[in-house]
Amino acid sequence: MNLNPTTPTDVRQVLEQHVPQAAVAYCLSLWQQYGFCFKISRQRRTKQGDYRYDKARQKHLITVNNNLNPYAFLITYVHEVAHLIAFQTHGFRTTPHGKAWKHSFRQLMAPMLSVEVFPDNVLETLNRHMRDPKAATCSDAALVAALQTHDSADGLVALSEVPVHQTFRFGKRIFLKEKIKRTRAWCREVQTGKCYTIAVSARVAVLQ
């Protein structure tokens, strides 16, 4: 996977690996609109994401940790884009998590606050969180707890989170996800070429 994507195709592919499918197009549109450098970072203990402005190169840089589940990644990504917008509007005079940032964060998150993007338990706590966003997601214990229920300790993810045309392992067999039909996905077994339907709730291992 490209950890420093620079083209729309590369950015889309990275986003498909890291955010809910329903959020991919929106996240890509933010990258296209605001023209920032986007980088996937290794896990950092002190932060989940980061925004900074390189004054010498006149470049905006956003990084997000690669170990976040899709919902935490999406929130962090939008959180950092909100920093960029606050900076563009107010420059170095803006406070990191002041009124300008909170306003931008609420506006950017609004289109994502739906059951098509977030599971019920995360959406409920996220709606409360957005009334007065904290400087860091980890400062909101209820939201952290809701997000952690979607962490994968075994490295497996729900088939619903696997991008179309991505290969994955289910049990001991390898499949290619071809399309989604409500609660099941049409998948082709790589070795035999046969098609099967698999529940989108099935836990699978994504192959890179």
Side-chain angles (χ1 to χ4, degrees):
M1 183 181 67
N2 188 350
L3 299 180
N4 190 17
T6 57
T7 69
T9 299
D10 288 343
V11 173
R12 176 180 286 277
Q13 289 176 347
V14 169
L15 291 170
E16 286 176 342
Q17 294 289 327
H18 288 283
V19 302
Q21 280 296 105
V24 171
Y26 180 71
C27 291
L28 178 61
S29 72
L30 294 179
W31 176 82
Q32 291 174 316
Q33 180 176 354
Y34 294 104
F36 53 88
C37 298
F38 177 41
K39 184 176 181 181
I40 304 298
S41 174
R42 296 184 183 278
Q43 181 178 359
R44 293 167 288 188
R45 293 183 179 180
T46 57
K47 56 187 173 183
Q48 295 181 332
D50 181 64
Y51 162 75
R52 62 184 175 86
Y53 177 67
D54 185 334
K55 189 174 181 179
R57 298 167 56 205
Q58 296 187 333
K59 295 283 188 180
H60 301 277
L61 173 65
I62 286 176
T63 65
V64 182
N65 291 5
N66 66 357
N67 65 310
L68 303 180
N69 71 44
Y71 312 113
F73 192 101
L74 172 58
I75 294 169
T76 303
Y77 179 89
V78 176
H79 175 122
E80 303 306 339
V81 176
H83 278 302
L84 185 159
I85 295 172
F87 177 81
Q88 282 188 331
T89 305
H90 300 281
F92 290 102
R93 294 176 291 116
T94 186
T95 53
H97 296 96
K99 290 182 179 180
W101 170 78
K102 290 185 179 187
H103 176 73
S104 296
F105 191 26
R106 289 193 197 98
Q107 284 196 319
L108 291 179
M109 282 300 301
M112 296 289 94
L113 297 178
S114 72
V115 294
E116 286 74 30
V117 178
F118 290 103
D120 289 341
N121 71 318
V122 174
L123 184 59
E124 182 180 355
T125 55
L126 184 56
N127 273 315
R128 289 198 296 268
H129 177 84
M130 294 310 300
R131 295 172 191 166
D132 185 21
K134 308 295 183 185
T137 302
C138 59
S139 299
D140 187 333
L143 182 56
V144 169
L147 289 169
Q148 284 180 340
T149 64
H150 299 277
D151 285 343
S152 179
D154 56 8
L156 302 182
V157 300
L159 179 55
S160 60
E161 296 176 8
V162 176
V164 174
H165 306 309
Q166 173 69 48
T167 54
F168 64 92
R169 180 178 290 106
F170 183 44
K172 295 183 178 180
R173 300 154 74 185
I174 296 176
F175 294 87
L176 175 70
K177 182 176 177 180
E178 295 197 338
K179 62 181 178 179
I180 299 175
K181 188 175 182 180
R182 294 185 181 179
T183 61
R184 304 187 71 81
W186 288 91
C187 306
R188 185 179 300 275
E189 187 178 12
V190 172
Q191 184 174 6
T192 65
K194 294 182 179 180
C195 288
Y196 299 85
T197 60
I198 302 175
V200 294
S201 60
R203 305 289 288 176
V204 304
V206 178
L207 301 179
Q208 302 295 339

